[in-house]
Amino acid sequence: MILVTGASGTIGRSTIAALRQRSAPFKVGARALAKAKGLGFDAVEFDWDNPGTYEPALRGADHAFLLPPISDKQVEQGKAFVAAAKRAGVKHLVKLSVIGARFEPGIFLGRQHGEVEKVIEASGLGFTHLRPTFFMQNFVNYYGVDLSKAESTVYLPHGTGKASWVDARDVGEVAAVALTSTGHEGKAYDLTGGEALSDAEVTALFSKATGKKIAYVDVPEAAAREAMTKMQAPGWLIDGFMELHGLIKNGYSSAVADGVSKVTGKKPRTFAQYVDDVTNGRAS
Ligand SMILES: NC(=O)c1ccc[n+]([C@@H]2O[C@H](COP(=O)([O-])OP(=O)(O)OC[C@H]3O[C@@H](n4cnc5c(N)ncnc54)[C@H](OP(=O)(O)O)[C@@H]3O)[C@@H](O)[C@H]2O)c1
């Protein structure tokens, strides 16, 4: 039995689709229990903000997918989760982390993942760390590409920097393999797409596939900060996102890694494939 956290999110949905393809038994740990049950999941109560829910949710699972939402409490929650997993008799944790998680000094959002990776490694549990780069899905989920409108614009401080965007569906497939087969114990996989693209190149792909006007505007960093401040984002999150944007702008996110093909035996999906799929309702 596998416990999946974060099941309703971008990576969680892909992971579950891949687990279903493999007919693997799983249960979902969700804070919104009714919503998760409504989606047809075998769901148990699990709330990152309530550590008392961790162990009961983990009981009966031999594998668990640890997907932490973005938070400034990831390290304390991660530590409590690992301790609860040990008490509950879990054998193997697959941790959704991030590329560069162990870079020193790295960036805040990466360091948090890295700290939890270290806690898992010291715990004696079996583990596999998944370290994806930026998701292709961010453009539709967060960056402003709106496929329901005739025109949309992505305003980001990425300059002409390129990233080796990965399709969340590939990350989900890697997670499902690591959760259901042997040979991935003690491994860490960097997960990227097969090529690095700038935001202007990505929006051009969206424009071409949809026939709509989808543009990228490079904005000054101060303007990006101001926009997040107006949205009342907390300071740690604004600083964290600015560090992420800086990675792309300064060319630190363009490296291509072979984690997806190593684990799934398939080449990672291209951005053009993802754009085609999301435009035609085959991906979200
Ligand atoms: N976006 C990127 O480009 C990128 C790249 C690399 C790594 N990452 C990492 O990916 C992770 C985020 O993954 P994602 O984008 O798949 O997440 P997501 O789409 O934001 O979904 C978050 C998931 O966590 C659940 N959740 C939130 N708060 C919770 C709580 N208090 N208790 C229990 N469940 C809770 C949500 O459930 P509800 O339905 O209840 O809200 C949802 O299922 C982060 O750790 C981030 O650092 C992101």
Side-chain angles (χ1 to χ4, degrees), residues 48 64-68 74-75 77-86 90-97 101-102 112-131 184-188:
W48 281 110
F65 186 46
L66 192 180
L67 187 147
Q74 259 188 31
V75 177
Q77 291 176 346
K79 280 181 183 166
F81 185 90
V82 175
K86 279 191 86 163
V90 173
K91 300 277 176 273
H92 190 120
L93 290 179
V94 175
K95 153 108 176 94
L96 194 281
S97 181
R102 300 292 269 272
Q112 285 194 304
H113 281 292
E115 287 305 312
V116 177
E117 285 187 4
K118 287 185 211 166
V119 171
I120 293 170
E121 287 166 25
S123 72
L125 291 171
F127 69 88
T128 310
H129 302 323
L130 311 185
R131 297 179 181 151
H184 306 286
E185 298 84 358
K187 303 259 174 72

Side-chain angles (χ1 to χ4, degrees), residues 5-13 29-32 35 46-50 67-71 74 77 95-99 109-110 113 130-136 138 141-143 165-166 168 244:
T5 62
S8 59
T10 307
I11 296 298
R13 287 196 306 271
R31 59 178 169 173
K35 177 177 148 191
F46 176 83
D47 186 344
W48 281 110
D49 294 325
N50 181 0
L67 187 147
I70 288 185
S71 156
Q74 259 188 31
Q77 291 176 346
K95 153 108 176 94
L96 194 281
S97 181
V98 68
I99 203 159
L109 293 173
H113 281 292
L130 311 185
R131 297 179 181 151
T133 187
F134 294 92
F135 308 153
M136 295 176 184
N138 289 354
N141 290 347
Y142 306 120
Y143 294 171
W165 313 93
V166 67
L244 288 174

Side-chain angles (χ1 to χ4, degrees), residues 17-284:
L19 286 173
R20 282 187 166 145
Q21 275 196 339
R22 301 170 81 84
S23 302
F26 68 89
K27 60 179 175 175
V28 155
R31 59 178 169 173
L33 205 50
K35 177 177 148 191
K37 286 187 172 166
L39 292 170
F41 294 137
D42 172 11
V44 290
E45 189 188 354
F46 176 83
D47 186 344
W48 281 110
D49 294 325
N50 181 0
T53 62
Y54 300 179
E55 191 180 334
L58 284 157
R59 259 186 234 127
D62 40 48
H63 286 62
F65 186 46
L66 192 180
L67 187 147
I70 288 185
S71 156
D72 58 348
K73 299 185 185 64
Q74 259 188 31
V75 177
E76 62 183 82
Q77 291 176 346
K79 280 181 183 166
F81 185 90
V82 175
K86 279 191 86 163
R87 290 195 302 271
V90 173
K91 300 277 176 273
H92 190 120
L93 290 179
V94 175
K95 153 108 176 94
L96 194 281
S97 181
V98 68
I99 203 159
R102 300 292 269 272
F103 286 173
E104 297 284 353
I107 62 168
F108 173 65
L109 293 173
R111 262 195 316 274
Q112 285 194 304
H113 281 292
E115 287 305 312
V116 177
E117 285 187 4
K118 287 185 211 166
V119 171
I120 293 170
E121 287 166 25
S123 72
L125 291 171
F127 69 88
T128 310
H129 302 323
L130 311 185
R131 297 179 181 151
T133 187
F134 294 92
F135 308 153
M136 295 176 184
Q137 280 75 1
N138 289 354
F139 280 85
V140 170
N141 290 347
Y142 306 120
Y143 294 171
V145 170
D146 187 340
L147 297 170
S148 69
K149 292 191 177 151
E151 288 188 18
S152 47
T153 306
V154 170
Y155 297 96
L156 281 174
H158 289 172
T160 55
K162 296 187 180 213
S164 51
W165 313 93
V166 67
D167 192 320
R169 293 174 297 175
D170 287 328
V171 180
E173 283 175 26
V174 169
V177 173
L179 286 162
T180 57
S181 57
T182 55
H184 306 286
E185 298 84 358
K187 303 259 174 72
Y189 296 110
D190 285 352
L191 306 174
T192 75
E195 62 180 337
L197 296 173
S198 68
D199 290 31
E201 288 169 323
V202 170
T203 49
L205 286 176
F206 275 108
S207 297
K208 192 173 162 206
T210 58
K212 297 175 177 182
K213 196 175 162 201
I214 299 172
Y216 166 62
V217 173
D218 178 29
V219 298
E221 282 156 34
R225 254 182 200 285
E226 201 185 314
M228 287 190 276
T229 306
K230 272 193 187 143
M231 291 163 73
Q232 298 186 326
W236 65 265
L237 188 61
I238 298 175
D239 291 344
F241 280 157
M242 291 310 297
E243 285 184 323
L244 288 174
H245 294 319
L247 291 181
I248 295 183
K249 184 167 185 160
N250 296 303
Y252 294 118
S253 295
S254 59
V256 166
D258 64 356
V260 171
S261 53
K262 232 183 204 167
V263 178
T264 66
K266 294 185 291 190
K267 280 187 185 169
R269 291 172 173 88
T270 64
F271 218 129
Q273 261 175 283
Y274 164 69
V275 168
D276 188 43
D277 287 346
V278 76
T279 304
N280 293 296
R282 291 189 298 269
S284 54

